Amino acid sequence: MTYATSNPPVKVTEAIGNGPALWIYNSTDLHTDVDAADYFSNGDALGLKVGDMMLVGKTSATIGATVHYVQTVTAGGAATIAAAILA
C-alpha cells in the first residue's frame, strides 16, 4: 500500500534528553508495507528522527500492533522505519 500524507503518524511524547520520541501510526497497511524504504515520504517534515520509536496499529479486519524504530531520515525527504527487536 501507499502512505497518505493526510494520515500522518502522531507524536505522543517528545524526546527527553538523548532519548527517542514516541510516535503512533494507524493504517490498514501491513507492518511489512510500513517497513518499506522511504514509506513516510514527508518524514523529515514531520520531525521524525533516527532512533525514534513508533507503535504501528493495523486498523482493518486483522487488528494488531507492532513496535518499530526510525532507521533513516533523508534531509528534506522521506523516512524509513524497521521492526524493533524486543529482547
Side-chain angles (χ1 to χ4, degrees):
M1 295 288 244
T2 303
Y3 167 68
T5 57
S6 60
N7 179 35
V10 175
K11 186 189 290 186
V12 294
T13 61
E14 294 289 335
I16 297 173
N18 290 328
L22 177 63
W23 297 76
I24 293 178
Y25 177 64
N26 288 309
S27 170
T28 57
D29 290 350
L30 297 170
H31 77 90
T32 51
D33 293 335
V34 176
D35 279 354
D38 298 336
Y39 178 85
F40 293 102
S41 58
N42 60 344
D44 186 52
L46 290 170
L48 290 169
K49 305 283 186 224
V50 171
D52 283 355
M53 300 301 297
M54 187 177 297
L55 302 176
V56 176
K58 186 166 182 326
T59 58
S60 64
T62 306
I63 296 172
T66 51
V67 179
H68 300 258
Y69 68 96
V70 178
Q71 189 174 44
T72 62
V73 180
T74 303
T80 300
I81 66 171
I85 305 297
L86 303 177

